[in-house]
Amino acid sequence: MKVVGSKRDISVPVEGVDRLFGSAELKDLLPLCDFVVLAVSATPETVGLIGAAEIACMRRDAFLINIARGSVVAESELISALQTGAIAGAMLDVFEREPLPQDSPLWDMPNVIVTPHTSGIPTNCMERAFEIIAENIER
């Protein structure tokens, strides 16, 4: 597998990433991807990061995975692209409106996987949380 990525400062290499693109080069990166995984913060720069123009750069057999924030993807434009087959599918963990409205077409689309925005819970989660709290109290 080749891993390509994007970040603001590409002067420092990222271990495991074969090629880095700058933020302004997103449209050059997208056609290279089988899976586009969004894992960015919600900032003014990332609102609507993926819209119709970016989706048009993606391959028809590509999948979009959003584990970032709902505001990063223009949802109506994504829905349109999924309905027309502009991209193969999406796995969505976050949405513009949460919880995802019951009448959203995303629920019933065969090329969409909807997951809850939760992380795994380690077996020692509570123990670790209390350790962190105790350390903070001591400080």
Side-chain angles (χ1 to χ4, degrees):
M1 175 171 75
K2 279 194 166 189
V3 177
V4 294
S6 176
K7 65 180 211 164
R8 282 177 267 176
D9 176 11
I10 61 171
S11 65
V12 178
V14 176
E15 187 177 337
V17 176
D18 298 303
R19 184 172 172 197
L20 276 174
F21 291 78
S23 301
E25 300 173 298
L26 182 61
K27 290 182 179 176
D28 297 323
L29 176 148
L30 292 172
L32 304 176
C33 301
D34 294 320
F35 296 91
V36 175
V37 180
L38 302 172
V40 298
S41 301
T43 68
E45 293 80 24
T46 62
V47 170
L49 180 69
I50 301 295
E54 291 74 23
I55 293 169
C57 294
M58 294 173 63
R59 298 177 5 204
R60 291 183 65 86
D61 62 347
F63 288 82
L64 178 72
I65 300 171
N66 188 6
I67 57 172
R69 295 288 181 252
S71 62
V72 174
V73 175
E75 204 165 284
S76 63
E77 295 171 15
L78 174 62
I79 290 169
S80 177
L82 291 164
Q83 289 171 331
T84 63
I87 62 172
M91 193 288 297
L92 305 170
D93 192 50
V94 291
F95 307 93
E96 287 180 332
R97 278 187 42 210
E98 293 185 355
L100 183 62
Q102 289 183 351
D103 63 348
S104 171
L106 292 168
W107 286 116
D108 299 316
M109 297 177 84
N111 55 346
V112 174
I113 297 172
V114 173
T115 62
H117 188 63
T118 58
S119 298
I121 299 174
T123 55
N124 66 341
C125 181
M126 292 305 290
E127 177 184 329
R128 183 67 187 125
F130 285 121
E131 288 174 8
I132 292 169
I133 292 168
E135 290 170 10
N136 287 337
I137 290 171
E138 285 179 24
R139 276 196 291 271

